[in-house]
């Protein structure tokens, strides 16, 4: 492939990702007219239109989408190979982008990063907090962190945390006027504080299990939040029962602000894993991070 062809393909990819000739030209350090000429030259050479241009946006055509599907993995591989050259430096360096949930970021990632980044100042880490299942390839992340039971099959996964447990709990004041639930069906008579899922917009169904029997409870109550801290705060104030990670309320359980119930319906489940595409050629910085995060029981 000639150098000119690589330039044209990179120009097309940048315009498609930015969905704007103006933003793409600024990113590439060229003029909008020169960039438009480059893309037209590529379209002429291929004999198909790659981009649909309107007054408000620029979007790929069907042919453009097919080309993007080929270009992105190829350029990601090239980028990873270039990043791996950092192994030749005295110290690992580079930027690592990770998508993760807030709980994993606080309990697993940050305790490791706090030490690692102090020792390796040339490594830069960007954490994107998102409770949804982000496509790390499409969104150009180096890796993602999710629970072991939610991992895609075509990913390399490294365990980075212990097993986790959920916990149902309420305040002592709440239980003064209500009986302690002995089974999931008893929750129908209780005020339950719900979690609104940012990814789907629905309410999280409480997932309980005992002796191989799984029960999903559609909890009812006055309150719903899309933030765990607010759920815990409301439960502590006596507004109902919460259903959260055990370690999110460990201090509240220890000092008696919350009382745990249905503990036998909350078995352990696989903890957090770092996952990334199997074709990824890890840089020295990425390999170092993976090893630092690796869970050792």
């Amino acid at each position: 492939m000639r150098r000119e062809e690589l330039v044209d393909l990179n120009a097309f990819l940048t315009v498609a990702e930015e969905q704007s000739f103006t933003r793409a030209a600024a990113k590439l350090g060229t003029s909008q007219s020169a960039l438009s000429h480059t893309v037209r030259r590529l379209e002429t050479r291929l004999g198909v239109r790659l981009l649909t241009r309107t007054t408000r946006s620029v979007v790929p055509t069907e042919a453009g989408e097919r080309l993007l599907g080929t270009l992105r993995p190829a350029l990601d591989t090239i980028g990873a190979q270039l990043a791996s050259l950092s192994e030749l430096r005295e110290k690992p360096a580079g930027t690592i982008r990770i998508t993760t949930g807030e709980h994993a970021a606080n309990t697993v990632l940050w305790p490791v990063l706090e030490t690692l980044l102090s020792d390796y100042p040339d490594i830069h880490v960007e954490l994107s907090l998102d409770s949804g299942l982000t496509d790390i390839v499409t969104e150009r992340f180096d890796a993602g962190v999710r629970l072991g039971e939610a991992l895609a099959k075509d990913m390399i996964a490294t365990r980075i945390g212990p097993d986790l447990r959920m916990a149902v709990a309420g305040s002592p004041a709440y239980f003064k006027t209500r009986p302690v639930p002995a089974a999931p069906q008893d929750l129908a008579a209780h005020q339950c504080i719900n979690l609104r899922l940012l990814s789907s917009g629905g309410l999280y169904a409480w997932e309980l299990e005992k002796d191989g029997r799984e029960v999903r409870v559609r909890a009812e109550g006055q309150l719903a939040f899309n933030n765990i801290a607010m759920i815990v705060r409301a439960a502590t104030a006596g507004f109902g029962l919460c259903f959260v990670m055990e370690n999110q309320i460990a201090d509240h359980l220890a000092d008696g602000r919350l009382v745990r119930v249905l503990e036998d319906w909350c078995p352990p489940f696989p903890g957090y894993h770092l996952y990334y595409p199997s074709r990824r050629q890890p840089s020295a910085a990425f390999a170092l991070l993976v090893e630092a995060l690796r869970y050792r029981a």
Side-chain angles (χ1 to χ4, degrees):
M1 179 178 289
R2 294 177 299 174
R3 180 179 178 182
E4 181 183 80
E5 293 173 322
L6 285 173
V7 171
D8 293 354
L9 290 171
N10 185 55
F12 160 68
L13 178 63
T14 305
V15 173
E17 290 182 336
E18 295 294 329
Q19 297 187 347
S20 164
F21 275 92
T22 302
R23 291 193 296 270
K27 188 173 183 178
L28 293 171
T30 187
S31 67
Q32 186 174 341
S33 60
L35 183 58
S36 180
H37 172 74
T38 300
V39 173
R40 282 199 300 270
R41 180 174 65 196
L42 177 61
E43 290 177 324
T44 299
R45 186 164 63 249
L46 296 177
V48 292
R49 180 175 288 277
L50 299 173
L51 297 169
T52 298
R53 305 159 175 83
T54 68
T55 56
R56 294 187 176 182
S57 65
V58 180
V59 295
T61 62
E62 181 180 355
E65 288 287 1
R66 291 180 61 181
L67 180 57
L68 285 173
T70 301
L71 273 180
R72 281 180 174 139
L75 291 178
D76 282 346
T77 299
I78 293 172
Q81 292 287 354
L82 292 175
S84 69
L85 294 178
S86 64
E87 294 178 2
L88 300 178
R89 298 177 51 159
E90 183 179 351
K91 288 187 177 182
T95 298
I96 302 170
R97 299 184 68 236
I98 302 174
T99 174
T100 179
E102 184 176 359
H103 181 254
N106 285 322
T107 61
V108 178
L109 290 174
W110 180 245
V112 172
L113 291 175
E114 192 172 12
T115 300
L116 183 71
L117 298 183
S118 297
D119 294 337
Y120 295 91
D122 291 331
I123 295 179
H124 301 266
V125 176
E126 177 185 334
L127 296 185
S128 177
L129 303 188
D130 181 5
S131 59
L133 294 176
T134 303
D135 186 331
I136 62 174
V137 176
T138 301
E139 299 298 327
R140 310 295 293 276
F141 285 101
D142 295 292
V145 174
R146 290 294 178 264
L147 294 173
E149 56 192 12
L151 296 174
K153 301 299 182 184
D154 58 345
M155 294 285 171
I156 292 177
T158 299
R159 184 174 180 133
I160 60 174
D163 282 352
L164 297 171
R165 291 184 72 190
M166 299 298 291
V168 182
S171 71
Y174 175 83
F175 286 118
K176 283 184 178 179
T177 57
R178 294 171 178 83
V180 173
Q185 58 266 30
D186 296 340
L187 294 174
H190 285 267
Q191 288 287 322
C192 298
I193 306 167
N194 276 301
L195 171 67
R196 177 72 67 180
L197 299 172
L198 293 176
S199 54
S200 66
L203 294 177
Y204 172 64
W206 293 18
E207 299 172 279
L208 302 169
E209 180 183 347
K210 182 178 180 181
D211 299 329
R213 179 191 171 197
E214 298 180 4
V215 178
R216 292 170 63 89
V217 178
R218 296 291 178 181
E220 300 289 340
Q222 277 186 298
L223 293 170
F225 300 97
N226 63 2
N227 177 270
I228 296 296
M230 286 302 303
I231 290 176
V232 174
R233 184 174 182 179
T236 305
F239 282 91
L241 302 180
C242 64
F243 185 61
V244 296
M245 294 280 193
E246 182 182 57
N247 59 7
Q248 290 174 315
I249 56 171
D251 291 343
H252 297 71
L253 294 173
D255 62 19
R257 282 177 291 169
L258 288 176
V259 177
R260 186 170 187 173
V261 297
L262 297 177
E263 185 171 357
D264 55 338
W265 281 90
C266 298
F269 56 88
Y272 290 115
H273 288 63
L274 184 81
Y275 66 98
Y276 52 96
S278 57
R279 65 173 177 272
R280 191 186 195 282
Q281 177 65 37
S283 66
F286 186 79
L288 182 69
L289 177 63
V290 171
E291 193 57 31
L293 287 170
R294 190 183 304 277
Y295 176 67
R296 297 168 178 83

